mmCIF file of all heavy atoms in Angstrom:
data_model
loop_
_atom_site.group_PDB
_atom_site.id
_atom_site.type_symbol
_atom_site.label_atom_id
_atom_site.label_comp_id
_atom_site.label_asym_id
_atom_site.label_seq_id
_atom_site.Cartn_x
_atom_site.Cartn_y
_atom_site.Cartn_z
ATOM 1 N N THR A 36 66.983 -8.348 130.439
ATOM 2 C CA THR A 36 66.751 -7.312 131.449
ATOM 3 C C THR A 36 65.462 -6.549 131.153
ATOM 4 O O THR A 36 64.693 -6.235 132.059
ATOM 5 C CB THR A 36 67.931 -6.317 131.501
ATOM 6 O OG1 THR A 36 69.126 -7.046 131.796
ATOM 7 C CG2 THR A 36 67.727 -5.245 132.553
ATOM 8 N N LEU A 37 65.226 -6.270 129.880
ATOM 9 C CA LEU A 37 64.044 -5.486 129.520
ATOM 10 C C LEU A 37 62.776 -6.333 129.504
ATOM 11 O O LEU A 37 61.676 -5.792 129.417
ATOM 12 C CB LEU A 37 64.245 -4.815 128.168
ATOM 13 C CG LEU A 37 65.412 -3.829 128.097
ATOM 14 C CD1 LEU A 37 65.438 -3.139 126.742
ATOM 15 C CD2 LEU A 37 65.355 -2.795 129.205
ATOM 16 N N GLN A 38 62.937 -7.643 129.607
ATOM 17 C CA GLN A 38 61.776 -8.523 129.624
ATOM 18 C C GLN A 38 61.300 -8.804 131.045
ATOM 19 O O GLN A 38 60.163 -9.195 131.258
ATOM 20 C CB GLN A 38 62.115 -9.853 128.928
ATOM 21 C CG GLN A 38 62.617 -9.693 127.504
ATOM 22 C CD GLN A 38 61.657 -8.947 126.610
ATOM 23 O OE1 GLN A 38 60.469 -9.179 126.646
ATOM 24 N NE2 GLN A 38 62.187 -8.029 125.810
ATOM 25 N N SER A 39 62.163 -8.610 132.016
ATOM 26 C CA SER A 39 61.849 -8.901 133.414
ATOM 27 C C SER A 39 61.572 -7.602 134.159
ATOM 28 O O SER A 39 62.425 -6.719 134.234
ATOM 29 C CB SER A 39 63.034 -9.622 134.068
ATOM 30 O OG SER A 39 62.927 -9.594 135.479
ATOM 31 N N GLU A 40 60.384 -7.497 134.741
ATOM 32 C CA GLU A 40 60.041 -6.278 135.475
ATOM 33 C C GLU A 40 60.994 -6.061 136.650
ATOM 34 O O GLU A 40 61.425 -4.936 136.899
ATOM 35 C CB GLU A 40 58.602 -6.335 135.969
ATOM 36 C CG GLU A 40 58.185 -5.032 136.640
ATOM 37 C CD GLU A 40 56.706 -4.934 136.926
ATOM 38 O OE1 GLU A 40 55.898 -5.506 136.184
ATOM 39 O OE2 GLU A 40 56.370 -4.251 137.912
ATOM 40 N N ALA A 41 61.361 -7.131 137.338
ATOM 41 C CA ALA A 41 62.274 -7.000 138.479
ATOM 42 C C ALA A 41 63.645 -6.490 138.028
ATOM 43 O O ALA A 41 64.239 -5.611 138.679
ATOM 44 C CB ALA A 41 62.414 -8.336 139.200
ATOM 45 N N GLU A 42 64.156 -7.033 136.923
ATOM 46 C CA GLU A 42 65.458 -6.599 136.410
ATOM 47 C C GLU A 42 65.399 -5.167 135.889
ATOM 48 O O GLU A 42 66.334 -4.393 136.076
ATOM 49 C CB GLU A 42 65.950 -7.546 135.312
ATOM 50 C CG GLU A 42 66.392 -8.890 135.829
ATOM 51 C CD GLU A 42 67.608 -8.799 136.731
ATOM 52 O OE1 GLU A 42 68.594 -8.131 136.354
ATOM 53 O OE2 GLU A 42 67.563 -9.392 137.822
ATOM 54 N N LEU A 43 64.318 -4.820 135.241
ATOM 55 C CA LEU A 43 64.157 -3.467 134.725
ATOM 56 C C LEU A 43 64.067 -2.467 135.877
ATOM 57 O O LEU A 43 64.678 -1.402 135.843
ATOM 58 C CB LEU A 43 62.913 -3.390 133.833
ATOM 59 C CG LEU A 43 62.718 -2.120 133.025
ATOM 60 C CD1 LEU A 43 63.956 -1.770 132.203
ATOM 61 C CD2 LEU A 43 61.513 -2.264 132.118
ATOM 62 N N ARG A 44 63.354 -2.846 136.909
ATOM 63 C CA ARG A 44 63.239 -2.001 138.107
ATOM 64 C C ARG A 44 64.620 -1.782 138.725
ATOM 65 O O ARG A 44 64.985 -0.665 139.101
ATOM 66 C CB ARG A 44 62.293 -2.681 139.098
ATOM 67 C CG ARG A 44 61.932 -1.868 140.305
ATOM 68 C CD ARG A 44 60.851 -2.555 141.125
ATOM 69 N NE ARG A 44 59.596 -2.642 140.400
ATOM 70 C CZ ARG A 44 58.687 -1.670 140.333
ATOM 71 N NH1 ARG A 44 58.905 -0.538 140.972
ATOM 72 N NH2 ARG A 44 57.578 -1.827 139.651
ATOM 73 N N LYS A 45 65.420 -2.856 138.792
ATOM 74 C CA LYS A 45 66.783 -2.769 139.330
ATOM 75 C C LYS A 45 67.632 -1.822 138.478
ATOM 76 O O LYS A 45 68.375 -0.996 139.004
ATOM 77 C CB LYS A 45 67.390 -4.172 139.367
ATOM 78 C CG LYS A 45 68.778 -4.242 139.920
ATOM 79 C CD LYS A 45 69.255 -5.693 139.925
ATOM 80 C CE LYS A 45 70.736 -5.786 140.172
ATOM 81 N NZ LYS A 45 71.222 -7.161 140.059
ATOM 82 N N LEU A 46 67.524 -1.940 137.148
ATOM 83 C CA LEU A 46 68.275 -1.081 136.236
ATOM 84 C C LEU A 46 67.902 0.388 136.433
ATOM 85 O O LEU A 46 68.768 1.258 136.509
ATOM 86 C CB LEU A 46 68.025 -1.490 134.783
ATOM 87 C CG LEU A 46 68.639 -0.589 133.709
ATOM 88 C CD1 LEU A 46 70.157 -0.565 133.806
ATOM 89 C CD2 LEU A 46 68.189 -1.035 132.328
ATOM 90 N N ILE A 47 66.622 0.668 136.545
ATOM 91 C CA ILE A 47 66.170 2.052 136.738
ATOM 92 C C ILE A 47 66.737 2.610 138.035
ATOM 93 O O ILE A 47 67.208 3.754 138.080
ATOM 94 C CB ILE A 47 64.627 2.122 136.716
ATOM 95 C CG1 ILE A 47 64.107 1.766 135.322
ATOM 96 C CG2 ILE A 47 64.143 3.512 137.146
ATOM 97 C CD1 ILE A 47 62.619 1.479 135.267
ATOM 98 N N LYS A 48 66.745 1.810 139.074
ATOM 99 C CA LYS A 48 67.296 2.260 140.362
ATOM 100 C C LYS A 48 68.800 2.483 140.271
ATOM 101 O O LYS A 48 69.330 3.412 140.885
ATOM 102 C CB LYS A 48 66.940 1.274 141.466
ATOM 103 C CG LYS A 48 65.460 1.326 141.810
ATOM 104 C CD LYS A 48 65.090 0.361 142.907
ATOM 105 C CE LYS A 48 63.605 0.490 143.215
ATOM 106 N NZ LYS A 48 63.180 -0.381 144.302
ATOM 107 N N GLN A 49 69.501 1.662 139.475
ATOM 108 C CA GLN A 49 70.946 1.856 139.287
ATOM 109 C C GLN A 49 71.216 3.162 138.551
ATOM 110 O O GLN A 49 72.127 3.906 138.912
ATOM 111 C CB GLN A 49 71.547 0.690 138.506
ATOM 112 C CG GLN A 49 71.636 -0.587 139.304
ATOM 113 C CD GLN A 49 72.120 -1.748 138.463
ATOM 114 O OE1 GLN A 49 71.716 -1.914 137.314
ATOM 115 N NE2 GLN A 49 72.982 -2.568 139.032
ATOM 116 N N VAL A 50 70.419 3.437 137.529
ATOM 117 C CA VAL A 50 70.570 4.686 136.782
ATOM 118 C C VAL A 50 70.280 5.872 137.706
ATOM 119 O O VAL A 50 71.007 6.869 137.710
ATOM 120 C CB VAL A 50 69.656 4.710 135.534
ATOM 121 C CG1 VAL A 50 69.652 6.089 134.885
ATOM 122 C CG2 VAL A 50 70.090 3.647 134.535
ATOM 123 N N SER A 51 69.249 5.750 138.502
ATOM 124 C CA SER A 51 68.883 6.805 139.442
ATOM 125 C C SER A 51 70.032 7.079 140.421
ATOM 126 O O SER A 51 70.376 8.236 140.683
ATOM 127 C CB SER A 51 67.618 6.386 140.210
ATOM 128 O OG SER A 51 67.350 7.272 141.258
#
Side-chain angles (χ1 to χ4, degrees):
T36 302
L37 299 185
Q38 304 303 317
S39 164
E40 185 170 329
E42 288 295 312
L43 190 52
R44 187 172 295 276
K45 181 179 167 185
L46 174 62
I47 294 166
K48 289 180 179 182
Q49 288 175 318
V50 171
S51 171

